[in-house]
Structure formats: structure tokens, C-alpha cells
Amino acid sequence: MDWQHNGVRVIPGDQLDPNTPQTPGMSRAAAINHARVGAQKLWAGTVTIDPDAKTGAHHHGALESVIFVVKGRARMRWGERLEFTAEAGPGDFIFIPPYVPHQEINASTDERLECMLVRSDNEAVVVNLDIEPVETPSEVAWIDPIHQHTH
């Protein structure tokens, strides 16, 4: 095996590829995918959303997604009419199951939201949706099924 050319890859943060499916209101850039590094089971990259901005509603088909908030405050809305909401800050992880209609919102009016994103396949599936959201979504607190809730 030629480990020099088929081993570890380091992708500099200033060399990500913006040529990936986009959703209005956010900027995605690919770091890890099949085309760039030969990944077979993962897609990874970054997502940024400007202050006081939000994305259009979308889902990612059969893929699972994980978002890690690096900087800023993320407000997620999801559901058939984006009727549910929850927030995440720096150091928090967000899990999005397959086919869940969702929308990312930058909850800050003056700070850019910066996130790292990983998906369960090497291609970036994005299905943009035309949803009429409910006026006031219901806030959902996450309850860990493994650990005792302490709040």
C-alpha cells in the first residue's frame, strides 16, 4: 500500500471547496468528500450563517448529519412546518436524522455563526423545501435517555 499518497490527509482550513450543494441563507464548504480525498462513508465541511440570518427549509435525504457549533448561537427549527425549536452554542453538537425538514437560524444579531458539519455519506445531499412555517414554534429541551436529567 502506498501510505504516502493513500494515508492521512490534512486539508487546510483556507482550502475548502464551496462547490457543494447550497441552501439560501448559508454558505457550505467541503473539506472531506469522495472527490477531494476519496472518502467512502463521510462528508465533512463548514457552515457559516451571517448575523440575524436564516436558511431556507431543507433536508438531507437518507443521510444523518452532525453539526458542531464552533462560534455563535444556532437556533434550529424542524418539523413539517418547522414547528419545533432548540438552541445550541459553542461546543454543542446537533444531530439531524434522515429526512427531517429543518432550518438553521443565526440567533445572534451581531456575530457570525460558524459550525463544522459531518454527514454519513460521501456526497452532499441537499433537498431544499418550500415550507410555510408556523408563527411560533414550540421549544424542545433535549432529554438524554442514558443519563439522569439534572436541570
Side-chain angles (χ1 to χ4, degrees):
M1 177 60 81
D2 177 3
W3 293 121
Q4 178 180 354
H5 296 100
N6 295 302
V8 173
R9 306 271 183 21
V10 174
I11 295 81
D14 63 355
Q15 294 181 24
L16 304 186
D17 183 6
N19 185 23
T20 187
Q22 300 291 333
T23 296
M26 71 178 3
S27 296
R28 292 188 187 98
I32 309 296
N33 60 17
H34 184 70
R36 299 197 83 203
V37 301
Q40 299 297 307
K41 299 177 183 176
L42 293 174
W43 184 100
T46 60
V47 170
T48 58
I49 302 176
D50 288 333
D52 212 21
K54 62 186 176 184
T55 71
H58 59 283
H59 70 71
H60 302 287
L63 306 185
E64 293 179 324
S65 298
V66 174
I67 298 172
F68 177 77
V69 180
V70 175
K71 180 181 175 188
R73 189 101 192 130
R75 180 177 301 129
M76 300 295 295
R77 288 186 66 173
W78 71 92
E80 292 296 321
R81 295 194 52 220
L82 305 177
E83 64 267 32
F84 306 109
T85 188
E87 288 196 11
D92 292 343
F93 288 83
I94 301 165
F95 173 66
I96 304 168
Y99 298 103
V100 173
H102 62 282
Q103 173 187 54
E104 290 95 342
I105 300 166
N106 184 339
S108 171
T109 58
D110 59 359
E111 183 179 28
R112 191 163 82 159
L113 174 61
E114 298 178 8
C115 302
M116 197 274 293
L117 168 63
V118 177
R119 294 216 188 93
S120 61
D121 192 88
N122 62 12
E123 296 302 324
V125 175
V126 177
V127 179
N128 293 313
L129 304 169
D130 185 13
I131 291 178
E132 183 63 38
V134 296
E135 187 78 24
T136 306
S138 300
E139 190 165 337
V140 178
W142 181 69
I143 299 173
D144 185 341
I146 298 170
H147 301 90
Q148 195 68 10
H149 188 63
T150 58
H151 292 30

